[in-house]
Amino acid sequence: MLNEIFNECEAKMQSSTEHMQREFKTLRTGKVTTSVLDNVKIDYYGTATPLDQVGSVLATDATTIVINPWEKNLLSDIETAINAANVGVNPNNDGDQIKLFFPPMTVEQRQESVKQMKVMGENAKVSIRNDRRHSNDAIKKLEKEKEITQDESKSAQDNIQKITDKHIAQIDSILKEKEAEILKV
């Protein structure tokens, strides 16, 4: 019983950490990555399709992304979708491919990225604390139903707190590392 609660709590907290890391990929750091286009969807024959499934998306250097669609008739749709996604640059369509030229990040842009990253980290911590509360409620319910003793309940809640502390520390470590990466000039 308790092991199930511990395992479920651990899995949910790990999932929150992984979700935060996926969100980080949408942030711009010093070097541009194709993940800034992960949220761009193209209307491809009536289906919202990710950009990387309708063409090749490559970061050719630190400031340029080139998109080569597999079907040339999608160029205008891709251009429209990128404009709508507001990725921070205007697409350049040369008739064969679309190029995105990202200017070097200013200090203010880097600081704004760090702010966004910290908000994402705080959201992950809130999610982890909610997971802790749900797990502790399940433990208290078992104690109330006399399925575990008061001592077992206290020990189990302490174990949940240790799991929580481990994941909060992991998030803090990731935030610190990512902040250093973003602010590096």
Side-chain angles (χ1 to χ4, degrees):
M1 259 179 302
L2 290 177
N3 283 337
E4 289 175 18
I5 293 172
F6 297 150
N7 291 339
E8 182 180 338
C9 180
E10 178 81 34
K12 285 182 178 179
M13 289 181 180
Q14 186 61 39
S15 174
S16 296
T17 304
E18 290 167 0
H19 176 75
M20 176 193 72
Q21 289 180 304
R22 280 191 306 273
E23 280 188 313
F24 282 176
K25 290 181 180 179
T26 63
L27 288 176
R28 181 151 176 238
T29 59
K31 180 178 182 266
V32 71
T33 63
T34 60
S35 59
V36 298
L37 300 174
D38 282 353
N39 296 329
V40 177
K41 303 278 192 251
I42 309 301
D43 183 20
Y44 187 63
Y45 297 106
T47 305
T49 308
L51 186 58
D52 62 352
Q53 292 183 11
V54 296
S56 66
V57 181
L58 302 170
T60 57
D61 60 41
T63 60
T64 309
I65 293 178
V66 176
I67 304 153
N68 282 310
W70 293 313
E71 298 176 26
K72 298 302 178 200
N73 62 332
L74 292 176
L75 280 168
S76 63
D77 292 341
I78 292 171
E79 194 173 3
T80 303
I82 291 171
N83 280 326
N86 195 21
V87 295
V89 295
N90 290 322
N92 295 321
N93 182 347
D94 68 6
D96 286 324
Q97 60 188 3
I98 293 179
K99 291 184 180 180
L100 303 174
F101 299 103
F102 290 85
M105 288 182 74
T106 64
V107 172
E108 292 82 17
Q109 289 172 320
R110 289 176 188 274
Q111 290 170 341
E112 184 59 34
S113 283
V114 168
K115 282 182 190 175
Q116 291 173 348
M117 177 201 63
K118 287 183 178 181
V119 167
M120 292 172 184
E122 194 54 43
N123 289 341
K125 288 180 183 180
V126 167
S127 176
I128 285 173
R129 291 182 192 116
N130 286 335
D131 295 336
R132 175 187 60 192
R133 184 172 39 83
H134 292 301
S135 297
N136 283 340
D137 288 348
I139 291 168
K140 289 174 186 174
K141 184 178 177 189
L142 290 176
E143 179 187 355
K144 186 176 181 183
E145 294 171 353
K146 305 281 187 215
E147 293 186 37
I148 60 173
T149 66
Q150 189 174 7
D151 288 343
E152 289 173 325
S153 173
K154 175 75 172 116
S155 174
Q157 289 179 50
D158 288 344
N159 196 4
I160 293 292
Q161 185 60 47
K162 288 177 186 169
I163 294 170
T164 303
D165 292 343
K166 178 182 87 172
H167 284 281
I168 295 288
Q170 182 182 11
I171 285 176
D172 287 338
S173 171
I174 293 168
L175 285 172
K176 193 176 212 178
E177 180 182 310
K178 192 72 172 173
E179 181 176 4
E181 177 186 328
I182 291 173
L183 294 177
K184 179 177 64 176
V185 177

